């Protein structure tokens, strides 16, 4: 494959990496995303805006996000200059494409999701069972989540296969906002403990993901890391794959980059970030916090007698 448009490929998470809600950081100035009702919600700080401006002009940019296709359509601040654009959404379950010379609308690359849909079909009964078990547990232990805060258990599907459930999430935005407003982290931690206990006793291998009041439980047969590994594999192949001309156009535009930069904030991002040459993370991220805690437990050489 020939060289692409840029020597650099930038693979990045979106929320809490390039921007965040003002619940998370009140210093955000540059609007990047909107709510379903059209209100500005995600804002980039000055430093995030500088990072994004540098990348969107000097690298081929691919988003790697937990957001759905509908949620990504509301991220107006995602504006790389290259025409053929890709975005991995739904934790890598779905690969989106758009050609900005023709339209700003994202559309799914259907062949990408096929193996995940098959796994979901095989395990749909177990997924339904686990979701029902979680809802029963929450109603027993924290009934106000539903009765007072109107939290809902929602199943995510893949565009084009809406009848197949692939993972489920507890959407507890009012509960989360109230906990932050009134400094009730004990309540949020109580919910997290319940969810981690559920994962530990699940019939399916599962992982946990959380962002801004949405708590997701993901089956272990997909991840951001696996999705990025697949995408990088397509770049190394002699011929583009999946027999989709849209994807082939994007793969040719990326080419074989000399430098792969990755960016993310959460511990669930570390897997895909490790597939690049250099990793970028905000200093206030979970990754940075965990590294700081680890280094304080390791004595410096000057401290060793």
């Amino acid at each position: 494959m020939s060289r692409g448009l840029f020597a650099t490929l930038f693979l990045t998470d979106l929320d809490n990496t390039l921007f965040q809600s003002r619940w998370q950081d009140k210093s955000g100035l540059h609007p990047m995303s909107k709510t379903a009702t059209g209100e500005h919600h995600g804002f980039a700080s000055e430093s995030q805006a500088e990072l994004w401006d540098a990348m969107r002009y000097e690298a081929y940019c691919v988003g790697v996000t937990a957001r759905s296709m509908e949620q990504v359509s509301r991220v107006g601040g995602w504006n790389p200059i290259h025409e053929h654009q890709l975005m991995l959404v739904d934790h890598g379950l779905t690969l989106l494409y758009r050609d900005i010379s023709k339209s700003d609308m994202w559309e799914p690359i259907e062949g990408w999701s096929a193996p995940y849909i098959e796994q979901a079909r095989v395990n749909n009964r177990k997924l339904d069972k686990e979701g029902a078990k979680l809802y029963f547990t929450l109603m027993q232990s924290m009934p106000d989540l539903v009765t007072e805060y109107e939290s809902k258990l929602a199943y995510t599907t893949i565009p084009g296969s809406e009848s197949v459930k692939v993972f489920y999430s507890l959407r507890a935005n009012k509960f989360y906002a109230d906990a932050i407003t009134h400094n009730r982290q004990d309540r949020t931690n109580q919910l997290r403990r319940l969810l981690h206990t559920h994962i530990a006793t699940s019939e399916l291998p599962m992982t946990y993901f959380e962002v801004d009041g949405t708590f997701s439980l993901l089956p272990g047969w997909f991840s951001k890391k696996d999705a990025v590994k697949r995408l990088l594999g397509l770049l190394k192949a002699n011929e583009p794959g999946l027999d989709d001309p849209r994807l082939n156009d994007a793969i040719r535009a990326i080419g074989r980059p000399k430098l792969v930069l990755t960016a993310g904030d959460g511990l669930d991002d570390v897997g895909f970030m490790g597939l690049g040459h250099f990793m970028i993370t905000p200093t206030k991220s979970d990754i940075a916090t965990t590294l700081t805690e680890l280094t304080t437990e390791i004595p410096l050489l000057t401290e060793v007698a």
Side-chain angles (χ1 to χ4, degrees):
M1 188 181 294
S2 62
R3 181 178 175 181
L5 298 172
F6 303 96
T8 301
L9 171 63
F10 182 50
L11 299 159
T12 181
D13 180 36
L14 301 184
D15 295 80
N16 301 320
T17 299
L18 296 182
F19 58 86
Q20 56 281 314
S21 68
R22 283 183 170 156
W23 287 351
Q24 303 295 109
D25 185 352
K26 296 180 180 179
S27 68
L29 298 173
H30 306 275
M32 293 287 287
S33 69
K34 294 182 178 181
T35 65
T37 56
E39 300 167 337
H40 288 297
H41 179 70
F43 296 84
S45 65
E46 289 286 5
S47 57
Q48 287 170 317
E50 285 296 318
L51 171 65
W52 177 233
D53 266 350
M55 291 298 101
R56 73 188 190 90
Y57 282 109
E58 300 296 337
Y60 190 102
C61 303
V62 178
V64 186
T65 178
R67 283 176 173 255
S68 66
M69 179 174 168
E70 186 277 327
Q71 291 169 333
V72 160
S73 71
R74 295 190 262 108
V75 184
W78 181 266
N79 54 356
I81 65 169
H82 47 84
E83 291 182 2
H84 301 288
Q85 299 187 5
L86 295 176
M87 178 84 71
L88 284 163
V89 303
D90 297 323
H91 303 273
L93 280 169
T94 309
L95 179 62
L96 303 181
Y97 168 87
R98 68 180 179 185
D99 178 350
I100 59 168
S101 69
K102 298 177 180 178
S103 173
D104 289 333
M105 300 294 291
W106 291 102
E107 51 192 30
I109 302 291
E110 291 82 2
W112 177 270
S113 301
Y116 306 126
I117 293 171
E118 183 57 32
Q119 282 274 20
R121 283 200 177 104
V122 170
N123 291 282
N124 244 214
R125 286 188 179 182
K126 289 183 179 179
L127 202 65
D128 279 340
K129 179 181 177 182
E130 292 297 332
K133 185 172 74 173
L134 175 61
Y135 188 80
F136 179 77
T137 300
L138 292 173
M139 286 301 294
Q140 276 193 319
S141 304
M142 301 181 70
D144 60 326
L145 269 173
V146 176
T147 58
E148 182 178 346
Y149 295 105
E150 300 175 346
S151 303
K152 296 180 179 179
L153 193 68
Y155 288 87
T156 293
T157 61
I158 294 175
S161 297
E162 282 74 12
S163 63
V164 182
K165 302 169 185 174
V166 287
F167 68 89
Y168 52 97
S169 305
L170 179 69
R171 295 176 182 170
N173 301 83
K174 288 184 179 180
F175 170 82
Y176 185 74
D178 185 70
I180 291 176
T181 302
H182 298 98
N183 196 25
R184 292 295 311 276
Q185 292 306 306
D186 58 317
R187 293 281 285 150
T188 312
N189 289 334
Q190 180 187 2
L191 175 57
R192 292 180 179 128
R193 285 192 296 271
L194 282 174
L195 295 173
H196 282 289
T197 299
H198 175 77
I199 289 172
T201 58
S202 171
E203 292 183 29
L204 294 171
M206 306 197 84
T207 57
Y208 173 83
F209 176 79
E210 172 190 331
V211 62
D212 275 5
T214 297
F215 304 82
S216 299
L217 303 176
L218 315 172
W221 58 78
F222 66 89
S223 67
K224 289 182 178 181
K225 178 181 179 180
D226 290 338
V228 169
K229 187 180 293 185
R230 282 182 69 192
L231 183 60
L232 293 176
L234 291 177
L235 301 183
K236 296 174 183 177
N238 291 327
E239 293 294 333
L242 301 184
D243 296 322
D244 191 305
R246 300 167 300 172
L247 179 58
N248 293 348
D249 286 342
I251 293 298
R252 291 190 186 97
I254 299 172
R256 289 185 174 171
K258 295 180 180 180
L259 172 63
V260 178
L261 293 177
T262 59
D265 72 292
L267 298 179
D268 64 303
D269 294 324
V270 173
F272 89 80
M273 292 169 68
L275 298 174
H277 298 112
F278 292 89
M279 297 187 287
I280 302 169
T281 193
T283 53
K284 293 182 181 180
S285 68
D286 288 345
I287 295 173
T289 299
T290 301
L291 288 173
T292 301
E293 291 172 350
L294 284 173
T295 54
T296 57
E297 295 174 3
I298 302 173
L300 300 176
L301 289 176
T302 53
E303 297 173 350
V304 178

